Amino acid sequence: MNILNLYFSSTGNTEKVALRIEKAIRDLGERVDTLKMTRKDMEMDILNYDFIFAGSGVYGQLPGEPVMGLFRSLIRKYAQKGEIVPCSPRRPSAKAVIYCTYGGTHTGINEAIPAVKYMGQLFDHLGYAIVGEWYVIGEYHPEKMRPYSVSGRLGDIRGRPSEQDLQDIEERVKGVLKT
Ligand SMILES: Cc1cc2nc3c(=O)[nH]c(=O)nc-3n(C[C@H](O)[C@H](O)[C@H](O)COP(=O)(O)O)c2cc1C
């Protein structure tokens, strides 16, 4: 199986999840390419991969700016190549898991859902089956945002993602790779 593990992380939480995904895949004896997204990753051909994990932190309800820029460019590129067509026919055996880490201080998971849905649309347009949407809690690291980690809708989220959160991710990876 060709597996791609794409992620963007500004303050380190999503990177922890992405590295745990990488470990879980390797523990299963599979190879994986892990890539931190930048706007410049246009050369990469994601269609070479039949299983893709894509994740980002949530910033202002959306994925990070490099992800937004990259995904916009990729949609344009694949549309021009004729790979995005009306009705988005499924590509046999192409699957994706989309996930985010989020703090949810104002409206809980509702302020993370747009980020996951946005990222998922690139893969759905390309005919990948979305076999998982994962929401992982991630504390606020910038000094002035630290109070959000104790005063928001999700309560005290300091230390998240925790070791338990990361073990849950490992279990989920094992689960979806069997689908
Ligand atoms: C500038 C900034 C904006 C954020 N905006 C949101 C937001 O709109 N919704 C949310 O649920 N979490 C928000 N968060 C919390 C982050 O999504 C959370 O800490 C996430 O785990 C960060 O991922 P990263 O460490 O991989 O960058 C924000 C954090 C920062 C630093």
Side-chain angles (χ1 to χ4, degrees):
M1 207 181 329
N2 279 334
I3 307 177
L4 178 63
N5 181 24
L6 277 178
Y7 73 97
F8 173 74
S9 182
S10 161
T11 64
N13 294 336
T14 314
E15 184 155 63
K16 282 186 192 162
V17 176
L19 295 181
R20 197 55 77 96
I21 289 172
E22 180 183 67
K23 175 186 179 299
I25 295 168
R26 293 213 169 121
D27 285 351
L28 289 168
E30 298 281 352
R31 283 192 45 243
V32 55
D33 293 331
T34 296
L35 186 68
K36 183 169 179 177
M37 286 183 261
T38 70
R39 276 169 169 277
K40 299 186 193 117
D41 293 318
M42 281 289 292
E43 304 79 35
M44 151 187 71
D45 190 357
I46 58 178
L47 297 179
N48 286 335
Y49 294 92
D50 31 42
F51 208 113
I52 300 177
F53 292 85
S56 173
V58 175
Y59 319 95
Q61 298 93 54
L62 289 170
E65 191 45 49
V67 184
M68 301 285 291
L70 176 64
F71 279 28
R72 265 195 303 270
S73 305
L74 288 174
I75 290 246
R76 219 174 297 128
K77 173 176 110 174
Y78 286 116
Q80 278 164 5
K81 288 176 135 191
E83 299 283 4
I84 293 180
V85 294
C87 302
S88 298
R90 302 297 88 182
R91 281 172 204 273
S93 83
K95 294 174 186 158
V97 166
I98 314 299
Y99 68 95
C100 71
T101 67
Y102 75 106
T105 203
H106 297 99
T107 60
I109 200 167
N110 289 334
E111 59 182 300
I113 288 172
V116 167
K117 294 294 179 191
Y118 181 87
M119 288 188 280
Q121 278 309 296
L122 168 63
F123 303 100
D124 202 359
H125 274 60
L126 284 168
Y128 282 70
I130 310 291
V131 295
E133 291 182 334
W134 300 346
Y135 294 86
V136 183
I137 294 172
E139 70 176 315
Y140 294 80
H141 289 287
E143 198 57 45
K144 65 176 193 311
M145 298 181 94
R146 289 235 164 116
Y148 286 176
S149 290
V150 289
S151 60
R153 279 233 178 142
L154 303 181
D156 187 345
I157 61 167
R158 288 173 295 181
R160 309 285 296 271
S162 62
E163 180 53 30
Q164 183 61 57
D165 295 324
L166 297 173
Q167 283 177 18
D168 288 348
I169 291 295
E170 284 193 55
E171 290 306 313
R172 286 172 177 229
V173 170
K174 287 184 207 160
V176 289
L177 287 180
K178 288 187 203 142
T179 58

